Amino acid sequence: MSDDGARIGHLIQLLARLPGLGPRSARRAALHLVKKRDSLLVPLLKALEGVAETVAPCTICGNYDTINPCAICADPERQPGLLCVVAEVGDLWALERGGSFPGRYHVLGGLLSPLDGIGPEDLGLDRLTARCQSERVEEVILALPATVDGQTTAHVIAKRLGGVGTTVSTLAQGVPVGGELDYLDDGTLSTALKARRPVL
Amino acid sequence: MSDDGARIGHLIQLLARLPGLGPRSARRAALHLVKKRDSLLVPLLKALEGVAETVAPCTICGNYDTINPCAICADPERQPGLLCVVAEVGDLWALERGGSFPGRYHVLGGLLSPLDGIGPEDLGLDRLTARCQSERVEEVILALPATVDGQTTAHVIAKRLGGVGTTVSTLAQGVPVGGELDYLDDGTLSTALKARRPVL
Ligand SMILES: [Zn+2]
Ligand SMILES: [Zn+2]
């Protein structure tokens, strides 16, 4: 790379920060973009612009949408009193692709992780408790990954919500140990959702 | 995905067209971008904008740069009369990273492929011959992949350039069969370059 390094090199560095792309594949991706300037680079640029300008987290549930509250929170067909708690928006999307959950969601934006210094206040667990009370939520389904952090988070939330009288359940067997929700097939997710079991 | 599908779904489709990203990793990448709006999405957007506005193929050699002729073609320190022919700009970059080639380049933009209907005119082979004559090129090194298409292309170019009296050599052993230049380590490339051998 010569002087073009200034421009293209910077693009490669940013692309390498995307999950799934390493330094080499980022270089390939950058070259591909330059080569397909009009058919890919410019459309991608416009798509990023559109997302940057219009997509934001829903202030109620944390889902990403172009409207606030998001389409799910605003949907009158959604069953009130039923809330599914997920770690990330990608997990919410995975459940929506399954199409079998009739309630609304609450996105934590992460998991409790003492090692990484992520505590209850970082995930807004007080806000979740307050939401359950103000929306008179009857059942919270914890759709959290079957990892140590996921199960710690589930335990802490179950204890808090049990204290305010909300029924708390988790996804049933079907979620493989260490498995991330976003990578499961839709059928497995639906099954696990239907066979959910109470916690505590 | 709900209505956000219109915006984010479009972004996911475009990201999935990058080499190295499938539909699932494109979804992860899109979510990551929305989550890291200010620290990644906006910088990536600006980087793409910068590249789209300033980077273009060098009209002499086909390299991508913000100036035309590119920094390599314009560099007076480069040895005249020595030209390295590569299939793609990524291969040129790989050779430049090796840092052992003192001449200039010629990027074909592809390989002859009768099956895909890519013939000599698509690669501008007449332009390469004319360049060798007008620049009084003494030696052309063919740094093409060790694939069927790569070797076919090397053979056709060698015959054409032999006709106008240019010495033609190829990269020596060191390039693995079926190997793509961009994935080789820099040492292997340097070795193969130094041990190049004449064709025909
Ligand atoms: Zn919402
Ligand atoms: Zn050039």
Side-chain angles (χ1 to χ4, degrees):
Chain A
M1 239 175 303
S2 62
D3 267 3
D4 58 66
R7 291 276 185 190
I8 304 186
H10 181 56
L11 174 60
I12 292 170
Q13 277 172 15
L14 291 169
L15 287 171
R17 288 176 52 200
L18 291 179
L21 286 182
R24 281 197 169 177
S25 44
R27 208 151 60 207
R28 296 219 135 188
L31 272 173
H32 193 74
L33 283 165
V34 177
K35 198 170 180 180
K36 308 272 180 194
R37 187 188 179 281
D38 295 332
S39 66
L40 187 55
L41 193 156
V42 172
L44 179 60
L45 168 60
K46 301 282 176 211
L48 287 168
E49 225 163 35
V51 167
E53 280 165 12
T54 62
V55 175
C58 170
T59 45
I60 297 177
C61 77
N63 184 24
Y64 296 131
D65 207 338
T66 52
I67 54 173
N68 188 10
C70 74
I72 295 173
C73 285
D75 181 0
E77 301 291 306
R78 295 276 171 165
Q79 184 179 322
L82 179 61
L83 210 59
C84 182
V85 173
V86 293
E88 302 286 354
V89 174
D91 302 329
L92 184 162
W93 289 2
L95 284 156
E96 283 295 290
R97 285 196 299 277
S100 61
F101 180 65
R104 293 193 176 82
Y105 296 91
H106 193 91
V107 180
L108 297 174
L111 293 170
L112 292 177
S113 178
L115 284 175
D116 298 325
I118 299 173
E121 60 291 341
D122 298 304
L123 304 184
L125 295 193
D126 287 344
R127 207 166 58 82
L128 171 59
T129 309
R131 184 180 173 193
C132 288
Q133 291 181 291
S134 68
E135 293 186 15
R136 303 177 193 283
V137 172
E138 284 158 19
E139 182 181 0
V140 161
I141 302 173
L142 301 174
L144 299 173
T147 59
V148 174
D149 286 349
Q151 295 314 296
T152 304
T153 309
H155 187 77
V156 170
I157 293 176
K159 263 176 78 175
R160 288 178 169 231
L161 295 183
V164 300
T166 311
T167 302
V168 181
S169 54
T170 63
L171 291 186
Q173 60 195 14
V175 181
V177 173
E180 300 206 67
L181 293 188
D182 194 21
Y183 280 100
L184 295 182
D185 63 287
D186 304 342
T188 307
L189 267 176
S190 299
T191 311
L193 196 64
K194 280 181 199 124
R196 63 186 181 268
R197 57 180 171 72
V199 176
L200 290 187
Chain B
M1 237 176 305
S2 60
D3 266 4
D4 59 66
R7 290 278 185 189
I8 305 185
H10 181 57
L11 174 59
I12 292 170
Q13 277 173 14
L14 291 168
L15 288 170
R17 286 175 52 199
L18 292 178
L21 285 183
R24 282 197 169 176
S25 45
R27 208 151 60 205
R28 297 220 133 188
L31 271 174
H32 192 74
L33 284 165
V34 176
K35 197 170 180 178
K36 309 273 180 196
R37 187 188 178 283
D38 295 332
S39 65
L40 187 56
L41 194 157
V42 173
L44 179 61
L45 168 62
K46 301 281 176 212
L48 287 169
E49 224 163 37
V51 166
E53 279 165 10
T54 63
V55 175
C58 170
T59 45
I60 297 177
C61 75
N63 184 22
Y64 295 132
D65 206 339
T66 52
I67 54 173
N68 187 10
C70 74
I72 295 174
C73 284
D75 180 0
E77 300 292 306
R78 294 277 171 163
Q79 184 180 320
L82 179 61
L83 209 60
C84 183
V85 172
V86 292
E88 301 287 354
V89 174
D91 301 329
L92 184 162
W93 288 2
L95 284 155
E96 283 296 289
R97 284 198 300 277
S100 61
F101 180 65
R104 292 193 177 83
Y105 296 91
H106 193 90
V107 180
L108 297 174
L111 293 170
L112 292 177
S113 178
L115 282 176
D116 298 325
I118 300 173
E121 61 291 341
D122 298 303
L123 304 184
L125 294 193
D126 287 343
R127 207 167 58 83
L128 171 60
T129 309
R131 184 179 173 193
C132 288
Q133 289 180 292
S134 68
E135 292 186 17
R136 301 177 196 282
V137 172
E138 284 159 19
E139 182 181 359
V140 162
I141 303 173
L142 301 174
L144 299 174
T147 59
V148 173
D149 286 348
Q151 295 315 297
T152 305
T153 309
H155 186 78
V156 169
I157 293 176
K159 263 176 78 173
R160 286 177 170 233
L161 294 183
V164 300
T166 310
T167 301
V168 181
S169 54
T170 65
L171 292 186
Q173 61 197 15
V175 180
V177 173
E180 301 206 64
L181 293 187
D182 194 21
Y183 280 100
L184 295 182
D185 64 288
D186 304 341
T188 307
L189 267 176
S190 300
T191 311
L193 197 62
K194 281 182 199 121
R196 63 187 181 268
R197 57 181 172 72
V199 176
L200 290 189

